[in-house]
Each structure stands twice: as C-alpha cells, then as structure tokens.
Amino acid sequence: MKVTLISIPVRDQEKALKFYTEKLGFLIKKDAPLEGGNRWITLVSPEWQDGPELLLEPAPNHFEPCKVFQDALFEAGIPWTQFDVEDVEAEYQRMIGLDVEFSVKPTEMGTVKFAVFNDTCGNNIQLVQTL
C-alpha cells in the first residue's frame, strides 16, 4: 500500500493553481474539467514527479463541513499538511521574496526546523527540514 494522492481544500482552484505553481514551484500533472465548473487538478513536486499527487480539492465550496473544518484549522494556526524541504531558511527567504505570508518564521524544535505559511486558499502549510 502506498499514498498516491493527497487533497488540500481550496476555495478558488484557479487562485490555488497559480499560487502552488508560481510561488511553490509545483508542476501540473492533471487538469481536467468536471461538472459545475470544477476541475480535477493535481500537482507534483519537480523533485519527485512520479511521487504523490496533490489534488486542489474544491470541497469547501460544496460541502459545508469541509469549510467549517478548514476554517477551524486555519483560525487555530494548525497546518493542513506539511512539505519537506532541504533548507527551511532558504525556502523561507525565497518565498518571502514572492510575498508569501508566514505565521511562523523558521524555528528549530528538537530534530527539525519548521515554518508555517498561508497558502492564500484557506490553509496553513508547514515547511519541515530534518536537522
């Protein structure tokens, strides 16, 4: 058994697509139209193009419990998911240069360094570096 797809809820798929590709550097794997003006959009890491796909899921627009859960996590400052990086400080500096907003600056805790940013689509995302 292996993970092949993980979804992240977004309120605006086009805005999310732009943010995740232009600011985070993900690549489009699939982009297919669905009913109701939605799309099946998956992204992959340029470093692991055969790895798990990230689905930009429009569920908060159609399923109220998803929206409530997403809002609660965001307001509590809890990340929806995490992305591993080689160097949190370097990614932080690169992303600050692209006007990405961070709620937690690079911080060391035990064997990791992490930072948390706002993906502009309703989610906090954590960057993690193993020290």
Side-chain angles (χ1 to χ4, degrees):
M1 186 178 313
K2 60 183 176 179
V3 175
T4 59
L5 181 104
I6 186 166
S7 65
I8 187 162
V10 298
R11 310 241 171 129
D12 181 327
Q13 286 186 303
E14 193 59 42
K15 181 179 179 183
L17 180 59
K18 186 173 180 168
F19 181 86
Y20 278 80
T21 57
E22 293 179 11
K23 302 220 180 205
L24 300 186
F26 284 93
L27 304 174
I28 298 170
K29 181 86 172 199
K30 297 175 184 129
D31 187 354
L34 298 172
E35 294 177 13
N38 297 308
R39 293 155 56 193
W40 182 265
I41 304 171
T42 66
L43 309 174
V44 292
S45 166
E47 293 99 26
W48 196 10
Q49 294 184 36
D50 292 326
E53 295 176 43
L54 180 66
L55 172 65
L56 301 179
E57 172 63 62
N61 297 329
H62 311 289
F63 187 58
E64 188 64 22
C66 182
K67 182 178 178 184
V68 170
F69 182 61
Q70 183 188 33
D71 287 344
L73 284 179
F74 188 82
E75 290 170 18
I78 298 172
W80 183 271
T81 195
Q82 80 175 35
F83 300 140
D84 289 0
V85 296
E86 292 292 322
D87 184 338
V88 165
E89 187 65 42
E91 281 299 312
Y92 171 79
Q93 293 299 329
R94 182 186 74 77
M95 291 168 66
I96 286 288
L98 295 171
D99 297 321
V100 175
E101 293 181 23
F102 280 79
S103 58
V104 178
K105 294 179 181 180
T107 304
E108 286 190 30
M109 185 177 291
T111 61
V112 298
K113 183 184 272 190
F114 69 96
V116 178
F117 67 89
N118 177 346
D119 77 350
T120 73
C121 304
N123 306 292
N124 291 305
I125 306 293
Q126 182 169 266
L127 298 177
V128 175
Q129 169 190 350
T130 302
L131 300 174

